[in-house]
Amino acid sequence: MKIVYSEHHAQHDPQTFLVRGVIQRSAEQPERATRLLAAAKAAGHEIVAPQSLGLAPVQAVHTPEYIDFLQVAAREWAKLPGAGAEVVPNVHPARYPATYPTGIVGRAGWHQFDTGCPIGPGTWSAALAAARCATTAADLVLSGAREVYALCRPPGHHAYADMAGGFCFLNNTAIAVQQLRQRHERIAVLDVDVHHGNGTQGIFWERDDVLTISIHADPSFYYPYFWGHAHETGTGKGHGFNLNLPLPLGSPDGPWLGAGDKALARIRDFAPSALAVALGLDASEHDPLQGLKVTGVGFRAMAGKIASLGLPTVLVQEGGYLSDELGHNLVQFLAGFESARN
Ligand SMILES: [Zn+2]
């Protein structure tokens, strides 16, 4: 399988992660991507570099003021007296009508919905390179490849059109979907990351041309808390075109694959001509975030089910954190996908 990868991801190395009031090193480390790449190479996959399509694919999903914010935030922040090394918001507009602020502290609170998406000097170029991996993968699929995997880092599925959050800045999966829309009328997104794909849901919330489905740990007790519940089904034209399949914390392969069957039934009913998979590997039983307990065999089985749809597919890397099994789980997923196609 072709794997689109850019080494520019390493320019983003977030240090700050606030957990239960304690500042830790972020789990979203560059080593994630290097381990995934090494495992994919060892398994014989072909690595290709992303192409630049300018900013147009990013602008097709994200707002102008948000893109501007991501580009200038680290520079503006560094001018503040006594500023830390990363942009981390300390104030948010919350749930009431509010006015877009001019200063960088206010803009940070407006565009970063949590503290899990610190912006450093290299964040913008890394996020843009990840988006380019996704658009290049989509272009390869548009050119006839059956499936292509975009090794994106930083991940994207928590990012809204105008907000970063949960390690995510540009929504690589949504950007790939918009690229596919050039030639596909109806596209399904299946998000198997352990966390709900709230940004992707938000971006397509009012649309009936993109079906969004997410299988994840129950957000009543797990990130992203405010989104991912079963009653969230879309609005307006998009009503009925979002399906959330939350699972109890700690669920193993059986329920996870069962949710996969429900997702595939809905996708078949929707009858898309292309598919994007938000491929988080953090549902693993070995993942440090410990939301679900999926095994390597489970990842392989899920991939086989998804591949059986027979759709042109872009696989977009989302979460999945450092464990000895991270690379193995990716290889299992890719092998399961390819063997079901052959
Ligand atoms: Zn995740």
Side-chain angles (χ1 to χ4, degrees):
M1 192 182 302
K2 278 204 167 95
I3 293 184
V4 191
Y5 171 81
S6 164
E7 63 189 18
H8 289 306
H9 76 84
Q11 295 176 43
H12 175 64
D13 188 4
Q15 300 298 311
T16 317
F17 189 35
L18 188 59
V19 182
R20 299 179 196 109
V22 180
I23 295 175
Q24 305 177 355
R25 169 115 198 252
S26 174
E28 208 290 279
Q29 298 176 18
E31 192 183 343
R32 296 178 55 237
T34 47
R35 278 199 203 178
L36 292 168
L37 180 73
K41 267 188 183 166
H45 295 287
E46 179 190 356
I47 314 299
V48 300
Q51 304 297 308
S52 169
L53 298 167
L55 272 184
V58 173
Q59 290 164 330
V61 166
H62 294 284
T63 65
E65 65 265 26
Y66 178 58
I67 294 170
D68 175 72
F69 166 75
L70 290 177
Q71 289 176 293
V72 305
R75 214 162 44 238
E76 293 289 310
W77 190 262
K79 294 178 193 163
L80 296 173
E86 296 179 323
V87 182
V88 182
N90 49 267
V91 57
H92 291 95
R95 290 170 285 123
Y96 293 94
T99 300
Y100 188 74
T102 308
I104 190 62
V105 176
R107 291 184 82 193
W110 188 276
H111 290 300
Q112 292 169 272
F113 72 76
D114 62 24
T115 54
C117 49
I119 297 172
T123 299
W124 166 251
S125 53
L128 185 59
R132 285 179 175 158
C133 289
T135 48
T136 301
D139 273 351
L140 289 166
V141 166
L142 287 173
S143 306
R146 290 186 310 176
E147 64 267 331
V148 179
Y149 165 66
L151 205 176
C152 296
R153 181 187 169 270
H157 73 148
H158 295 306
Y160 289 84
D162 66 350
M163 284 197 294
F167 308 150
C168 300
F169 303 91
L170 298 176
N171 194 314
N172 306 310
T173 296
I175 289 167
V177 166
Q178 274 307 112
Q179 193 74 3
L180 290 171
R181 272 292 278 116
Q182 291 176 3
R183 272 188 247 152
H184 291 278
E185 289 297 310
R186 292 153 76 81
I187 297 163
V189 178
L190 177 54
D191 188 322
V192 299
D193 189 282
V194 76
H195 303 98
H196 173 242
N198 57 311
T200 316
Q201 168 176 300
I203 286 165
F204 298 113
W205 186 242
E206 297 186 36
R207 285 173 52 172
D208 61 0
D209 58 330
V210 178
L211 171 70
T212 46
I213 303 180
S214 181
I215 299 168
H216 48 266
D218 186 350
S220 303
F221 304 100
Y222 201 68
Y223 190 87
Y225 301 104
F226 314 110
W227 308 282
H229 302 271
H231 65 83
E232 299 160 21
T233 57
T235 194
K237 266 202 318 184
H239 180 69
F241 293 90
N242 183 74
L243 175 63
N244 286 330
L245 299 165
L247 295 169
L249 280 175
S251 294
D253 286 352
W256 193 65
L257 293 169
D261 289 334
K262 286 184 195 162
L264 295 193
R266 179 69 187 95
I267 292 170
R268 286 195 175 93
D269 181 53
F270 178 68
S273 57
L275 176 72
V277 178
L279 180 54
L281 296 166
D282 44 8
S284 165
E285 60 181 340
H286 299 290
D287 194 273
L289 301 191
Q290 287 292 302
L292 298 174
K293 299 221 173 286
V294 175
T295 66
V297 173
F299 281 113
R300 188 174 179 121
M302 179 69 93
K305 286 174 185 287
I306 298 169
S308 73
L309 290 167
L311 293 166
T313 301
V314 180
L315 305 166
V316 181
Q317 183 63 46
E318 296 287 359
Y321 301 93
L322 294 178
S323 78
D324 290 343
E325 300 298 309
L326 179 62
H328 172 74
N329 288 336
L330 173 66
V331 168
Q332 286 297 303
F333 192 95
L334 300 181
F337 207 95
E338 286 190 319
S339 61
R341 295 276 218 192
N342 293 328

